[in-house]
Each structure stands twice: as C-alpha cells, then as structure tokens.
Amino acid sequence: MQERDIFAAPKRQREADGAEVIVSAELRKPKVYLTAPATVEHVDLRSFMGRWYEMARLPYFTERRCTANVMADYRMSEDGVIHVDNRCRYKDGRIGQANGVARVLDAGRNARLQISFRMLYGVYVFWDDYWVIGLGANYDYALIGQPTKTRAWVLARDPHASDAQVDAWLKEFADKGFPAGNFLRTRQDDSQPEEIAQRLAN
C-alpha cells in the first residue's frame, strides 16, 4: 500500500520539540510542513461523531459573522463518509449554516483529516487540513488545528465548559506552538441555533 505522507523528522526530534517535518504527497505539488504540530496518536472516529460546541478559535474570515452558538455535528454514513454540519448565530440573530464532508489522510491513526464545504460540478473542492492536536480521554474535548498554526478551534461536548477549563485547553495549544493569546472566546448561550431557526420558521 502506498503511503500518502513522508515523515522526515527523526522520532527523537519530534518528541523533543513537538514538531514533525511532513511532506504531503496528496497533491501534484506536495506541501512541506517544517514545524507542523504533533497530532494525537489515534482517533476513534465513531467516538468522535456527534455534536461539538466551539469554545474558542483563532479568528478567520470564514467565521467573521459568527458571534455566538457555534457548533458542529459530525455523522458517519454507512459508506464511511464523514458529514459535517456547522451552525452559528450572526449578530442580527440569523443562523449561518455550512454543510461539508471530511476525509481521513492517515488511515489507522485518523488524526489528520481534510474537510471541504465547497462543491464544483458535484465534486468537493478546496480541502482544508483538519488535524486533531489534542483529545480528551472520554472525547469530552478536542483541539483542532492546521499544520500552519494559523487556524485552530477548541471544541467541547459541554457548551458551558468553565473558563478555567478553556484556559487549560488553550495552554495545551500553546504547548504545541499555537498563539494561544490570539484565540477568541466563543459565547454559548441557552438559545442554540436549531432552536432559533425553529422559532423564526414559525
């Protein structure tokens, strides 16, 4: 079986500085990540499915209008495709929604994925890296980031996780080289997007 990625950094070095040198052969022009963060050893995809609430994120234009109640639902179909449904609330109360799919790049470990929310002629395009950087033993939280460390999310099963807990998760991100001080906290209140959408529809 042909490997999709080549890990060039010695194991001792990766363990010492938490970084990996990775050459991705997924594209015609391979991506080279010189200081990519180490991912978790393994993700049980079935356990990862379900609802996640965004607790914090690095600011990025795709979420610029999301002011509160950011959540993501993950569902795996019978053919193994991971379906993603993102929702958030805008400042004016409207609900934003984006549907996409995710694919695994490191089968077996399942820690490095790519995700797409755009289709062209029925085919998903513009895939973004989606790496699981940290993960709770009971899948109560997940730290998702990109190898460039420019995009990252703190996800939790509990929408009302304490500030102290979020601080601990951000510290875990900082230990992996992410700019923890640049994260925006996400407000989660008692009116979740699907409830608001139902009220607006009535």
Side-chain angles (χ1 to χ4, degrees), residues 161-175:
S162 67
D163 289 339
Q165 186 63 77
V166 176
D167 286 340
W169 294 332
L170 289 175
K171 183 181 183 304
E172 189 174 343
F173 254 135
D175 292 340

Side-chain angles (χ1 to χ4, degrees), residues 149-168:
K149 302 178 183 176
T150 56
R151 299 188 69 186
W153 301 265
V154 176
L155 306 180
R157 298 293 193 184
D158 180 4
H160 303 300
S162 67
D163 289 339
Q165 186 63 77
V166 176
D167 286 340

Side-chain angles (χ1 to χ4, degrees), residues 99-121:
N99 298 314
V101 296
R103 62 188 183 188
V104 176
L105 294 184
D106 57 345
R109 292 182 60 184
N110 305 325
R112 291 191 290 115
L113 300 89
Q114 287 184 328
I115 193 167
S116 173
F117 292 97
R118 298 183 183 181
M119 294 187 73
L120 182 63
Y121 301 113

Side-chain angles (χ1 to χ4, degrees), residues 3-19:
E3 293 291 335
R4 290 182 174 180
D5 299 298
I6 301 171
F7 294 81
K11 182 178 180 182
R12 182 177 303 175
Q13 179 182 343
R14 298 202 307 269
E15 293 175 348
D17 58 16

